[in-house]
Amino acid sequence: MTPEDLIQSQAQELRRGTVVLACLMLLEQPQYGYALLETLNRAGVAVDGNTLYPLLRRLEKQGLLTSEWNTEESRPRKFYRASPEGSRVGALLAREWEDLVTTIQRLIEENR
């Protein structure tokens, strides 16, 4: 494995857990899957549909998201939204994230 491949692999591991937090934050407002996928990618949270859609189903099964079909347009779309529990969990995860960023930033600064 080249050093670049190793960095890429480790960076992917770092980003993996952030997708749940990003989804819970973004889904305070209802969005359908493809729009969410585009929003995440534009924001720099690289994720593909083969990862996102199973994640959305898992979060819904866990009670963190709700969904409903919009059949008013020519193409039916499933809209997702954070449930009240999903909003609560998202807020708690955001605080965990902020604490983690602060800790890692301090470690980086102390070891430069």
Side-chain angles (χ1 to χ4, degrees):
M1 181 176 273
T2 69
E4 292 79 19
D5 290 339
L6 184 58
I7 290 168
Q8 188 76 344
S9 173
Q10 293 301 319
Q12 183 177 0
E13 287 296 318
L14 282 173
R15 288 190 297 267
R16 185 166 285 144
T18 63
V19 177
V20 169
L21 175 57
C23 285
L24 291 173
M25 295 294 99
L26 289 171
L27 290 173
E28 287 296 321
Q29 301 300 318
Q31 289 192 58
Y32 62 95
Y34 187 74
L36 178 61
L37 186 66
E38 288 184 327
T39 300
L40 288 166
N41 283 308
R42 273 195 314 272
V45 181
V47 63
D48 64 25
N50 292 330
T51 299
L52 181 63
Y53 292 108
L55 172 67
L56 293 174
R57 287 190 295 274
R58 181 170 55 86
L59 293 175
E60 185 175 18
K61 188 174 181 179
Q62 292 172 345
L64 301 178
L65 297 180
T66 60
S67 68
E68 62 182 52
W69 284 96
N70 178 342
T71 57
E72 295 172 6
E73 298 178 24
S74 60
R75 182 177 170 194
R77 293 183 172 162
K78 189 173 188 179
F79 280 77
Y80 294 90
R81 182 178 192 141
S83 67
E85 180 68 4
S87 294
R88 188 182 79 74
V89 168
L92 292 170
L93 289 175
R95 278 190 233 129
E96 288 288 331
W97 176 258
E98 290 166 347
D99 291 346
L100 182 59
V101 167
T102 299
T103 299
I104 296 298
Q105 188 63 43
R106 188 182 73 244
L107 289 172
I108 292 169
E109 290 170 3
E110 288 173 0
N111 290 289
R112 281 196 168 156

